[in-house]
């Protein structure tokens, strides 16, 4: 399973993008998805430095493909107040981690599903409104089955 309740923070308190990346990486590490917390964080920071992962619609999708990942995952966080992410205010964050040796298509499929879903206003609204982690998983999984 790519996402679980352990990988969700419904009211993240970080006030910048690196703080959100750090907190979500800690969740992934606590759920045994990482081999090396610091190496994963650095991979995400490096990717973010290349091109911002803020996709518009108040959503960011930081990600890393590295040997520091043991098992593919998606973390989700909601920031009620929002965080500036390279000149865009972001409220919803999906952080993706994939092992370096994972099939290229797996990584691209995860990114494509999320990118496609965030363009759907109902998908975003449902995530904004819910406070229930099980509902977040249902929204994300149902969105991935569509399209």
């Amino acid at each position: 399973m790519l996402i679980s309740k352990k990988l969700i923070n419904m009211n993240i308190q970080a006030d910048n993008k690196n703080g959100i990346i750090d907190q979500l990486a800690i969740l992934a590490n606590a759920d045994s998805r990482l081999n090396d917390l610091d190496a994963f964080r650095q991979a995400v920071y490096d990717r973010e430095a290349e091109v911002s992962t803020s996709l518009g619609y108040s959503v960011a999708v930081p990600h890393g493909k590295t040997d520091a990942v043991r098992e593919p995952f998606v973390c989700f966080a909601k920031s009620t107040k929002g965080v500036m992410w390279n000149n865009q205010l972001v409220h919803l964050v999906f952080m993706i981690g994939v092992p370096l040796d994972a099939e290229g298509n797996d990584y691209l499929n995860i990114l494509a599903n999320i990118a496609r879903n965030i363009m759907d206003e109902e998908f975003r609204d449902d995530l904004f409104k819910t406070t229930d982690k099980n509902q977040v998983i249902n929204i994300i999984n149902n969105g991935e089955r569509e399209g």
Side-chain angles (χ1 to χ4, degrees):
M1 183 183 327
L2 284 175
I3 190 164
S4 72
K5 290 195 298 187
K6 293 179 181 179
L7 298 174
I8 298 172
N9 184 327
M10 295 302 290
N11 189 20
I12 201 156
Q13 294 300 308
D15 57 4
N16 60 58
K17 69 180 180 179
N18 286 351
I20 289 179
I21 290 167
D22 290 347
Q23 289 182 30
L24 291 178
I26 289 168
L27 290 181
N29 193 53
D31 196 36
S32 301
R33 303 294 181 115
L34 301 178
N35 296 316
D36 185 329
L37 173 63
D38 291 333
F40 175 72
R41 272 197 292 227
Q42 191 60 52
V44 176
Y45 294 155
D46 291 349
R47 175 64 182 84
E48 191 67 38
E50 290 173 20
V51 177
S52 175
T53 58
S54 173
L55 303 180
Y57 304 104
S58 206
V59 177
V61 187
H63 50 278
K65 186 173 183 179
T66 169
D67 284 333
V69 176
R70 175 180 293 139
E71 181 182 341
F73 65 87
V74 175
C75 289
F76 173 77
K78 181 163 52 171
S79 171
T80 305
K81 64 182 178 178
V83 172
M84 288 308 293
W85 201 290
N86 293 23
N87 302 320
Q88 292 188 13
L89 188 62
V90 165
H91 291 276
L92 303 176
V93 179
F94 298 86
M95 187 167 75
I96 302 169
V98 179
L100 194 58
D101 63 359
E103 293 296 320
N105 288 346
D106 292 346
Y107 188 54
L108 295 175
N109 286 338
I110 295 168
L111 278 170
N113 281 329
I114 291 172
R116 182 173 52 250
N117 288 329
I118 65 162
M119 290 188 284
D120 179 346
E121 187 174 356
E122 185 177 341
F123 177 83
R124 294 189 316 272
D125 286 348
D126 288 347
L127 288 172
F128 277 124
K129 291 175 187 171
T130 189
T131 57
D132 182 80
K133 291 181 179 185
N134 288 321
Q135 200 169 10
V136 167
I137 292 168
N138 289 336
I139 293 165
I140 292 171
N141 287 339
N142 289 336
E144 287 179 354
R145 282 195 289 274
E146 294 172 6

